[in-house]
């Protein structure tokens, strides 16, 4: 049986600004490799010193299915929680189209700001209103 060379779905990229993790996404981002991509990206973020930005180069990215899109959304959520910038560089037309069709383009490409702290008054107020809604709906039945 011939051995096929394995190409990792995430490759580190040299250069760039300090406090920035630069990674290239290579090949298809789908159900088969999604968990591995998520693991590799989160590992790179943890290993970096004082990381302020994550830049994912999508030039070598092939097909992205719904599981791949979910991975991008999970990475975005993680960086948002940490106050880390999230950037998709060199997006091809297929990825851009997928993001537009799914309504995630603005969400994944808009500049991120640091997430509010868990103890802020705004967080507590919104959490309280969410808890009240189910009670109101249940009491009406």
């Amino acid at each position: 049986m011939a051995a096929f060379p394995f190409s990792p779905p995430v490759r580190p990229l040299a250069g760039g600004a300090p406090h920035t993790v630069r990674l290239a996404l290579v090949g298809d981002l789908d159900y088969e490799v999604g968990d591995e991509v998520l693991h590799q990206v989160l590992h790179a973020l943890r290993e970096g010193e004082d990381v302020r930005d994550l830049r994912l180069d999508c030039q070598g990215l092939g097909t992205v299915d719904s599981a791949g899109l979910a991975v991008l959304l999970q990475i975005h959520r993680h960086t948002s929680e940490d106050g880390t910038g999230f950037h998709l560089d060199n997006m091809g037309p297929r990825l851009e189209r997928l993001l537009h069709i799914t309504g995630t383009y603005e969400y994944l490409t808009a500049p991120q700001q640091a997430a509010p702290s868990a103890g802020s008054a705004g967080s507590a107020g919104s959490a309280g209103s969410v808890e009240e809604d189910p009670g109101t709906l249940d009491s009406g039945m």
Side-chain angles (χ1 to χ4, degrees):
M1 177 184 275
F4 295 100
F6 176 74
S7 175
V10 178
R11 294 182 188 156
L13 294 174
H19 311 291
T20 299
V21 171
R22 293 182 64 235
L23 302 170
L25 300 178
V26 181
D28 294 340
L29 180 53
D30 57 17
Y31 178 79
E32 290 183 25
V33 299
D35 288 340
E36 181 62 22
V37 169
L38 180 61
H39 172 75
Q40 289 181 14
V41 170
L42 296 181
H43 179 74
L45 288 171
R46 282 191 304 269
E47 294 299 312
E49 283 191 41
D50 193 24
V51 176
R52 296 182 192 149
D53 278 305
L54 170 65
R55 302 199 79 89
L56 297 176
D57 187 298
C58 301
Q59 185 172 9
L61 194 58
T63 301
V64 179
D65 69 5
S66 60
L69 178 59
V71 168
L72 293 176
L73 292 168
Q74 289 173 13
I75 293 168
H76 183 277
R77 182 175 52 228
H78 179 79
T79 58
S80 293
E81 290 170 355
D82 289 348
T84 302
F86 176 88
H87 310 276
L88 295 173
D89 298 331
N90 301 315
M91 283 192 297
R94 288 179 17 196
L95 178 57
E96 282 190 35
R97 184 171 188 270
L98 173 68
L99 298 183
H100 281 294
I101 288 171
T102 59
T104 57
Y105 183 85
E106 294 296 324
Y107 179 73
L108 289 175
T109 61
Q112 286 184 318
Q113 297 181 9
S117 65
S120 70
S123 304
S126 63
S129 64
V130 170
E131 291 174 14
E132 291 173 12
D133 287 344
T136 304
L137 292 174
D138 289 341
S139 65
M141 292 183 148

